[in-house]
């Protein structure tokens, strides 16, 4: 928690909000750890999606671009890990890092031509990339085993130390998410992060200030891809099984929901969104066969009344002049 | 290597499904041009058109024309409702564009679930508009429904072109797409135009759904694929005019059908999407947008 607080003091205007949400999240985790069982799995997945969204936030939030195809890189991570561990008997950590390297190369190759596009055209091109990856993961059975997927992926661990306890898994995932959040917070306010945010405000203005737009966009895209790959690998190690559905269109919708419910472009937003959007189906589960309707309605209400995400709740208690110096 | 008969047959099938993609693409363009919003719930209007038409035709046994008219009106009303209840409040709160797009996805989920609860999850279909057939030319079979799709598609594009060029309201809509603020200063009710664009594009989706259902089937979940393909068609066409979107749809339909014959059904989307990527990379503003600029 000290990590969280140090981020919040640095961000100033988000201080109170971050403190409140930190307390809320701490209580939630306390409940989850005592309760155990299914809630542990839900929170594990929330942490993994959180890592994915923190990465996506670099590209969509800070840089203001659109990518509907990050699931492609999560698939690279998941399948990379699965194939390296199951077929070649690699160490989980080595497989995770190797997959991240593959994803970064893939995103460089794919991003270089694609990122010349703007707005909806970029969104569509990345969307096509995601769909192509999904279809390939279904059809290229010699590599991916098609709908069968890969089972028996070993849990995360180094050498003889293997994380098999569900509670310990959650702690590790939490640590990884906090680390990625810390990285995101540091980068956001660095020279690099300021350049990205300048691009999101005005490309022409940023170019006039000497920022190499295409290089920075590509860098943000690669960072997002590496985060996505890490999330894909973590999913494989945590659940122990992957199939094409894991990295399908559903993943795009879910992660977008998380990003926009939490607050796109903020540091903590993606993580908060991941936790809330993961818990939402569990909360509305009581509605029985109206569950999906309740979920859609809840999402619509959130979007209509807090279109810039839950993180903007912080602005409600903020004094007007403070907005000038606000982080956003 | 497939025979030439197979290829020509797939071409014919591709034109049929492509025209439907084109109609959906026009629906995307109408809303996008009026507001900059990409309405991902567009495919749901196609599904609703087929579903309502099935109810009125098969269950209530109304004549085709009446059933179609009522279905189109109902779907248009739902489109207006979506605009009033979801899009307008977000628009007024200056929500980010992608939050609005996400909201349209949520609308799709909501409507699909309501359809499961009211109509059930069984696929349904109704007979082609004209019995008999298919028309045989040599070894190639052409469903009569294809002619219905062709003529209705041509009729819709013709009517839309007239509407956008000749009528006062159509020109006002085009003014909104060019510059919303200037249009507002000229006394055009921009909010009303946005509502109209949702009604229009929902009606277009319903027409597409009513036309395509006899050749396959409709169920609560067909909206997603139709929406995606319609959007791809709109991108290929370049979000410009109705004929360009229709041409984009036909191109996509033909490429998909050819890919099924040449590479197998599993790769149809991979091929279609690769074509889309190539189009995007060489004509970043759509096939016809790019060509128009060079001419």
């Amino acid at each position: 928690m000290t990590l969280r607080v140090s981020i919040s003091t640095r961000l100033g205007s988000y201080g109170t909000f971050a403190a409140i949400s930190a307390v809320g999240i701490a209580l939630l985790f306390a409940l989850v750890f005592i309760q155990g069982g299914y809630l542990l799995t839900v929170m594990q997945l929330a942490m993994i999606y959180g890592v994915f969204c923190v990465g996506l936030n670099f590209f969509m939030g800070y840089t203001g671009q659109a990518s509907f195809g990050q699931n492609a890189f999560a698939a690279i991570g998941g399948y990379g890990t699965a194939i390296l561990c199951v077929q070649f008997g690699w160490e989980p950590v080595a497989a995770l890092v190797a997959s991240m390297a593959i994803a970064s190369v893939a995103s460089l190759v794919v991003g270089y031509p694609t990122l010349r596009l703007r707005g909806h055209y970029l969104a569509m091109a990345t969307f096509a990339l995601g769909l192509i990856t999904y279809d390939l993961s279904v059809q290229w059975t010699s590599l991916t085993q098609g709908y069968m997927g890969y089972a028996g992926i070993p849990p995360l661990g180094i050498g003889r130390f293997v994380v098999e306890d569900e509670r310990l898994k959650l702690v590790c995932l939490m640590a990884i998410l906090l680390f990625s959040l810390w990285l995101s917070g540091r980068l956001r306010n660095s020279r690099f992060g300021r350049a990205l945010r300048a691009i999101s405000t005005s490309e022409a203005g940023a170019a006039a200030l000497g920022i190499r737009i295409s290089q920075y966009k590509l860098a943000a895209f690669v960072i997002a891809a590496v985060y996505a790959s890490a999330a894909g690998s973590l999913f494989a190690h945590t659940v122990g099984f992957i199939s094409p559905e894991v990295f399908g269109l559903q993943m795009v919708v879910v992660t977008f929901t998380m990003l926009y419910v939490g607050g796109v472009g903020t540091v903590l937003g993606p993580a908060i969104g991941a936790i809330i959007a993961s818990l939402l189906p569990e909360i509305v589960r009581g509605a029985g066969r109206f569950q999906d309707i309740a979920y859609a309605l809840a999402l619509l209400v959130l979007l209509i009344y807090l279109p810039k995400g839950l993180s903007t709740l912080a602005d409600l208690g903020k004094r007007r002049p403070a907005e000038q110096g606000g982080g956003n | 290597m497939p025979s030439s008969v197979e290829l020509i047959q797939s071409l014919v099938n591709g034109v049929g499904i492509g025209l439907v993609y084109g109609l959906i693409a026009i629906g995307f363009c109408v809303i996008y041009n009026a507001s900059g919003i990409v309405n991902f719930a567009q495919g749901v209007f196609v599904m609703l058109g087929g579903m309502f038409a099935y109810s009125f035709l098969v269950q209530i046994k109304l004549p085709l024309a009446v059933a179609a008219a009522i279905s189109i009106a109902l779907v248009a009303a739902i489109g207006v409702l979506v605009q009033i209840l979801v899009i307008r409040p977000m628009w007024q709160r200056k929500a980010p564009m992608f939050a609005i797009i996400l909201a349209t996805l949520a609308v799709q989920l909501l409507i699909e679930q309501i359809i499961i609860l009211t109509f059930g999850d069984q696929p349904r279909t109704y007979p082609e508009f004209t019995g008999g057939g298919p028309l045989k030319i040599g070894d190639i079979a052409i469903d009569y429904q294809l002619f219905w799709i062709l003529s209705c598609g041509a009729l819709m594009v013709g009517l839309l072109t007239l509407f956008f060029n000749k009528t006062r309201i159509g020109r006002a809509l085009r003014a909104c797409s060019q510059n919303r603020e200037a249009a507002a200063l000229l006394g055009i009710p921009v909010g009303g135009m946005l509502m109209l664009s949702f009604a229009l594009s929902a009606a277009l989706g319903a027409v597409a759904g009513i036309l395509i259902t006899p050749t396959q089937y409709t169920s609560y979940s067909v909206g997603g694929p139709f929406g995606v393909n319609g959007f791809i068609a709109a991108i290929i066409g370049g979000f410009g005019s109705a004929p360009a979107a229709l041409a984009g749809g036909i191109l996509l339909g033909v490429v998909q059908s050819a890919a099924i014959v040449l590479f197998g059904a599993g790769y149809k989307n991979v091929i279609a999407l690769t074509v889309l990527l190539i189009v995007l990379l060489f004509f970043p503003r759509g096939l016809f947008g790019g060509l128009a600029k060079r001419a």
Side-chain angles (χ1 to χ4, degrees), chain B residues 9-223:
Chain B
Q9 180 71 57
S10 77
L11 206 75
V12 170
N13 297 343
V15 169
I17 189 83
L19 273 166
V20 169
Y21 292 159
L23 285 179
I24 304 167
I26 298 173
F28 271 111
C29 297
V30 169
I31 292 183
Y32 179 79
N33 285 337
S35 64
I37 297 170
V38 175
N39 172 33
F40 268 105
Q42 196 66 32
V44 152
F45 297 143
V46 181
M47 180 269 287
L48 285 176
M51 278 289 178
F52 288 159
Y54 169 83
S55 311
F56 293 126
L57 260 179
V58 180
Q59 291 180 325
I60 309 183
K61 298 198 185 345
L62 289 175
L64 176 66
V66 181
I70 300 178
S71 308
I72 295 169
L74 269 178
V75 177
I78 291 175
V80 171
L81 220 58
V82 169
Q83 198 271 337
I84 292 176
L85 294 179
V86 178
I87 307 297
R88 188 193 287 173
M90 293 189 76
W91 188 262
Q92 284 167 347
R93 288 185 175 79
K94 300 201 180 350
M97 194 52 79
F98 283 104
I100 298 184
I101 292 176
L102 184 61
T104 63
L105 270 173
V107 166
Q108 164 158 4
L109 180 67
L110 185 67
I111 294 179
E112 282 180 357
Q113 291 303 320
I114 293 173
I115 288 295
I116 291 183
L117 286 181
T118 49
F119 284 72
D121 55 2
Q122 292 302 308
R124 30 202 86 202
T125 188
Y126 42 85
E128 299 193 356
F129 296 172
T130 317
L135 182 69
K136 298 281 271 189
I137 303 173
D139 284 334
I140 297 154
I142 305 174
D143 279 335
Y144 284 150
Q145 190 67 20
L146 180 64
F147 296 108
W148 277 99
I149 298 178
L150 265 174
S151 48
C152 288
L155 184 72
M156 298 302 292
V157 170
L159 285 177
L160 276 174
T161 312
L162 274 181
F163 172 72
F164 278 119
N165 290 316
K166 300 288 176 201
T167 66
R168 220 178 139 74
I169 299 177
R171 282 197 288 235
L173 258 177
R174 272 169 57 215
C176 288
S177 77
Q178 276 169 9
N179 188 331
R180 269 188 289 283
E181 270 153 31
L185 286 175
L186 288 171
I188 296 170
V190 176
M193 289 294 132
L194 194 55
M195 207 193 302
L196 178 68
S197 72
F198 266 83
L200 196 58
S201 97
L204 277 165
V207 171
I210 295 168
L211 285 171
I212 194 68
T213 302
T215 67
Q216 31 188 278
Y217 65 90
T218 184
S219 80
Y220 75 94
S221 62
V222 296

Side-chain angles (χ1 to χ4, degrees), chain A residues 66 68 113-114 116-117 120-121 123-125 127-129 131-132 135-136 139-140 253 256-257 260 289-290 292-293 295-297 299-300 303-305 307-308, chain B residues 32 36 38 85-86 89-90 93-96 98-99 101-103 106 109-110 113 117 228 231-232 235 238-239 266-267 269-270 273 276-277 280-281 284-285:
Chain A
F68 284 56
T114 316
R116 292 185 307 165
L117 300 168
H120 295 312
Y121 296 93
M124 198 59 224
F127 188 54
L129 287 175
L131 289 178
I132 288 174
D135 276 4
L136 281 181
Q139 300 293 334
W140 194 354
V253 178
F256 264 60
T257 307
Y260 280 96
R289 58 199 196 103
F290 299 100
D292 286 330
I293 292 184
Y295 179 79
L297 280 177
L299 180 57
L300 279 175
L303 285 171
I304 291 172
Y305 290 102
K308 295 193 177 94
Chain B
Y32 179 79
V38 175
L85 294 179
V86 178
M90 293 189 76
R93 288 185 175 79
K94 300 201 180 350
F98 283 104
I101 292 176
L102 184 61
L109 180 67
L110 185 67
Q113 291 303 320
L117 286 181
V228 170
F231 187 44
I232 294 174
I235 293 266
F239 278 114
Y267 283 100
N269 286 327
V270 175
L273 292 165
L276 169 77
L277 278 180
L280 276 177
L281 292 180
R285 307 218 47 91

Side-chain angles (χ1 to χ4, degrees), chain A residues 195-209:
Chain A
L196 295 186
R197 279 149 60 203
I199 292 173
S200 105
T201 316
S202 159
E203 283 197 19
L209 290 171

Side-chain angles (χ1 to χ4, degrees), chain A:
Chain A
M1 281 304 119
T2 50
L3 196 59
R4 225 165 248 272
V5 174
S6 76
I7 289 173
S8 67
T9 44
R10 200 166 289 134
L11 288 174
S13 64
Y14 283 102
T16 334
F17 179 66
I20 294 170
S21 49
V23 170
I25 290 168
L27 284 175
L28 177 69
F29 276 107
L31 177 78
V32 169
F33 274 102
I34 296 165
Q35 186 94 14
Y38 180 59
L39 262 183
L40 272 174
T41 313
V42 173
M43 288 315 284
Q44 285 170 354
L45 293 182
M47 297 296 107
I48 294 168
Y49 273 122
V51 172
F52 184 102
C53 293
V54 170
L56 188 56
N57 194 34
F58 270 94
F59 192 63
M60 292 198 51
Y62 299 165
T63 324
Q65 307 298 306
S67 173
F68 284 56
Q70 286 319 102
N71 59 329
F73 303 111
I76 289 180
Y79 277 102
T81 290
I83 293 167
L84 288 175
C85 287
V86 175
Q87 293 204 330
F88 299 97
W90 279 38
E91 280 285 309
V93 174
L96 183 124
V97 174
S99 311
M100 281 162 77
I102 298 170
S104 68
V105 173
S107 62
L108 262 178
V109 173
V110 164
Y112 185 73
T114 316
L115 292 184
R116 292 185 307 165
L117 300 168
R118 290 217 172 86
H120 295 312
Y121 296 93
L122 176 62
M124 198 59 224
T126 50
F127 188 54
L129 287 175
L131 289 178
I132 288 174
T133 313
Y134 172 76
D135 276 4
L136 281 181
S137 66
V138 173
Q139 300 293 334
W140 194 354
T141 42
S142 60
L143 183 73
T144 65
Q145 306 191 1
Y147 284 118
M148 296 269 296
Y150 272 93
I153 304 161
L156 215 52
I158 302 170
R160 258 186 293 164
F161 175 72
V162 180
V163 186
E164 273 184 300
D165 181 67
E166 293 296 324
R167 286 183 171 78
L168 197 56
K169 267 189 197 172
L170 181 55
V171 173
C172 288
L173 291 171
M174 267 173 78
I176 293 170
L177 178 60
L178 284 177
F179 173 70
S180 61
L181 275 174
W182 172 76
L183 215 58
S184 169
R186 288 297 299 244
L187 277 173
R188 183 181 194 271
N189 291 324
S190 69
R191 188 184 169 80
F192 174 74
R194 284 195 300 270
L196 295 186
R197 279 149 60 203
I199 292 173
S200 105
T201 316
S202 159
E203 283 197 19
L209 290 171
I211 295 166
R212 290 169 192 240
I213 309 248
S214 52
Q215 287 182 11
Y216 275 91
K217 274 190 194 170
L218 193 56
F221 189 64
V222 172
I223 292 176
V226 169
Y227 268 88
S229 166
S233 297
L234 288 173
F235 182 94
H237 288 306
T238 307
V239 179
F241 170 76
I242 56 163
S243 66
E245 266 73 41
V246 174
F247 309 110
L249 194 55
Q250 189 65 25
M251 186 177 207
V252 179
V253 178
V254 166
T255 49
F256 264 60
T257 307
M258 290 170 172
L259 209 50
Y260 280 96
V261 164
V264 67
T266 61
V267 176
L268 295 177
I272 294 171
I275 293 171
I276 303 239
S278 302
L279 287 175
L280 201 53
E282 307 309 316
I283 295 168
V284 297
R285 197 168 288 275
R289 58 199 196 103
F290 299 100
Q291 182 188 337
D292 286 330
I293 292 184
Y295 179 79
L297 280 177
L299 180 57
L300 279 175
V301 167
L302 274 175
L303 285 171
I304 291 172
Y305 290 102
L306 288 167
K308 295 193 177 94
L310 284 168
S311 298
T312 46
L313 278 177
D315 298 341
L316 297 179
K318 204 163 63 179
R319 287 205 186 88
R320 286 283 141 196
E323 258 173 44
Q324 303 295 323
N328 205 12

